[in-house]
């Protein structure tokens, strides 16, 4: 049995124990009868004991309800949608890594994140990320790329010619920094510039209406022609200049080093359960 499968069994036992279902004749019946508060308490408690920034009670491939890894389905183009607009933020992983744990190496972190890794995979990760900066920068990049950024490219590839990629880079570029642009009024946008806000937010409304951000709800936005990702790994960068704070909305090409790292992560999908 893989370490991941052992962990799934351990987590189930832990949920059963923390909901007082250990002595029940049927643990599932007991869990279904448990109150939401009891389940919530067990969830929070168990997740607090896990690796920083990870969520322990997540969907798993059980072979019945979820029959295969999602990235495999993307590879096989088993999709329901017609088109895809995907935007990632520059530094998705930073808030999900303990920034005080500065001595953790890329190899150590990848083994903690993916317990089925052997030394061989951990060493490959060490080599792939060694040029990127400090240990903590590397571990943050591993978190962001494995959980958010690389899976986005797998999804883009499942819609060839019908998928568009954006990068939200307004500093600090952390996970969630884009939310206020989709849900205005919740707080002040980090870059409060009308031309930028219209360009970024209307990419989504235009896509929702037309499955293509180039068919604009308001043709006057500053977003230039946006090629599908399949055309030369094109992305639309949404950023601002420093220090004068002018919008930067322009096409860029995805880093080939990033795509190489993503290919590695895709190749070990059996071990990461992705
Ligand atoms: C929460 O988890 C810890 C172990 O991480 C355990 O000792 C404790 O009993 C748990 N609390 C509850 C309410 O189950
Ligand atoms: C589990 O049982 C113990 C002992 O009866 C009780 O103190 C505790 O509140 C129960 N926990 C839950 C989540 O029902
Ligand atoms: C973060 O890392 C520091 C340094 O290793 C450690 O002392 C601290 O307990 C960690 N915090 C959490 C929430 O894991
Ligand atoms: C954001 O920009 C709008 C339009 O220029 C302005 O009315 C508003 O006061 C700005 N908000 C903040 C917090 O600066
Ligand atoms: C975004 O712009 C900032 C300056 O405002 C710059 O430091 C950063 O490198 C840019 N990010 C990207 C991904 O281009
Ligand atoms: C990887 O997973 C696929 C399906 O999930 C399976 O067919 C294949 O045998 C696995 N390969 C290895 C090396 O475990």
């Amino acid at each position: 049995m893989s370490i991941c499968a052992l962990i799934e069994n351990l987590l189930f036992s832990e949920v059963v124990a923390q909901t007082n279902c250990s002595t029940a004749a049927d643990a599932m019946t007991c869990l279904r009868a448990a109150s939401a508060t009891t389940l919530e308490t067990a969830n929070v408690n168990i997740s607090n004991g896990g690796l920083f920034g990870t969520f322990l009670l997540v969907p798993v491939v059980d072979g019945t309800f979820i029959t295969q890894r999602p990235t495999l389905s993307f590879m096989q183009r088993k999709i329901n949608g017609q088109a895809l607009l995907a935007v990632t933020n520059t530094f998705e992983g930073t808030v999900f890594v303990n920034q005080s744990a500065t001595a953790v190496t890329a190899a150590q972190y990848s083994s903690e994140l993916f317990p089925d890794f052997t030394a061989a995979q951990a060493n490959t990760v060490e080599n792939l990320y060694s040029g990127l900066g400090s240990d903590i920068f590397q571990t943050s990049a591993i978190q962001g790329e494995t959980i958010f950024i690389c899976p986005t490219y797998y999804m883009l590839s499942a819609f060839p010619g019908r998928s568009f990629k954006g990068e939200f880079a307004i500093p600090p570029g952390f996970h969630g920094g884009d939310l206020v642009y989709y849900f205005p009024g919740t707080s002040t946008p980090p870059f409060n510039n009308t031309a930028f806000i219209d360009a970024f937010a209307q990419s989504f409304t235009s896509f929702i209406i037309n499955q293509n951000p180039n068919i604009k709800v308001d043709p006057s936005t500053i977003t230039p022609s946006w090629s599908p990702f399949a055309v030369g790994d094109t992305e639309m960068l949404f950023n601002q200049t420093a220090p004068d704070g002018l919008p930067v909305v322009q096409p860029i090409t995805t880093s080939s080093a990033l795509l190489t790292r993503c290919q590695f992560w895709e190749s070990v999908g059996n071990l990461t359960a992705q």
Side-chain angles (χ1 to χ4, degrees):
M1 196 184 264
S2 73
I3 294 174
C4 280
L6 289 171
I7 291 172
E8 285 154 21
N9 288 345
L10 179 76
L11 287 173
F12 183 77
S13 307
E14 200 56 40
V15 172
V16 169
Q18 294 197 19
T19 49
N20 281 352
C21 287
S22 298
T23 55
D26 179 21
M28 281 308 295
T29 305
C30 179
L31 286 176
R32 288 185 180 120
S35 75
T37 309
T38 299
L39 293 169
E40 187 184 351
T41 304
N43 178 31
V44 170
N45 190 37
I46 291 168
S47 283
N48 283 345
L51 178 62
F52 185 102
T54 61
F55 301 88
L56 273 58
L57 298 170
V58 294
V60 295
V61 179
D62 65 346
T64 308
F65 186 63
I66 299 179
T67 54
Q68 70 174 13
R69 300 187 285 109
T71 56
L72 213 51
S73 298
F74 293 133
M75 264 186 237
Q76 297 164 348
R77 300 198 183 153
K78 289 182 176 167
I79 48 173
N80 295 324
Q82 297 301 314
L84 174 70
L85 170 65
V87 177
T88 53
N89 298 358
T90 307
F91 302 113
E92 295 277 11
T94 312
V95 301
F96 298 101
V97 168
N98 179 355
Q99 294 296 311
S100 301
T102 50
V104 178
T105 66
Q108 286 166 343
Y109 183 73
S110 61
S111 300
E112 287 181 16
L113 195 56
F114 301 118
D116 277 331
F117 270 17
T118 64
Q121 286 92 32
N123 288 337
T124 304
V125 174
E126 187 78 38
N127 290 335
L128 281 171
Y129 284 83
S130 62
L132 288 188
S134 63
D135 284 340
I136 191 69
F137 188 86
Q138 290 178 34
T139 53
S140 301
I142 291 168
Q143 210 287 344
E145 291 177 5
T146 57
I147 305 296
F148 300 98
I149 294 174
C150 292
T152 302
Y153 291 103
Y154 314 150
M155 284 190 259
L156 289 161
S157 298
F159 296 82
R162 293 175 289 134
S163 55
F164 299 86
K165 171 70 173 61
E167 176 176 347
F168 177 87
I170 297 294
F174 292 163
H175 182 79
D178 50 332
L179 283 182
V180 66
Y181 294 96
Y182 317 131
F183 305 109
T186 48
S187 62
T188 305
F191 180 40
N192 189 21
N193 175 284
T194 303
F196 178 87
I197 294 170
D198 289 349
F200 186 65
Q202 288 183 27
S203 298
F204 292 89
T205 41
S206 297
F207 181 81
I208 290 163
I209 293 167
N210 301 308
Q211 286 79 59
N212 184 339
N214 295 296
I215 306 174
K216 297 180 177 183
V217 286
D218 172 0
S220 72
T221 65
I222 60 173
T223 312
S225 171
W226 187 337
S227 295
F229 176 71
V231 180
D233 300 338
T234 305
E235 312 200 6
M236 192 62 68
L237 174 69
F238 291 92
N239 203 355
Q240 69 180 99
T241 60
D244 39 355
L246 297 172
V248 175
V249 180
Q250 63 188 36
I252 54 167
T253 301
T254 314
S255 148
S256 58
L258 168 62
L259 293 178
T260 300
R261 295 194 295 275
C262 291
Q263 272 169 11
F264 164 74
W265 292 114
E266 193 170 33
S267 77
V268 292
N270 276 16
L271 301 174
T272 63
Q274 293 182 331

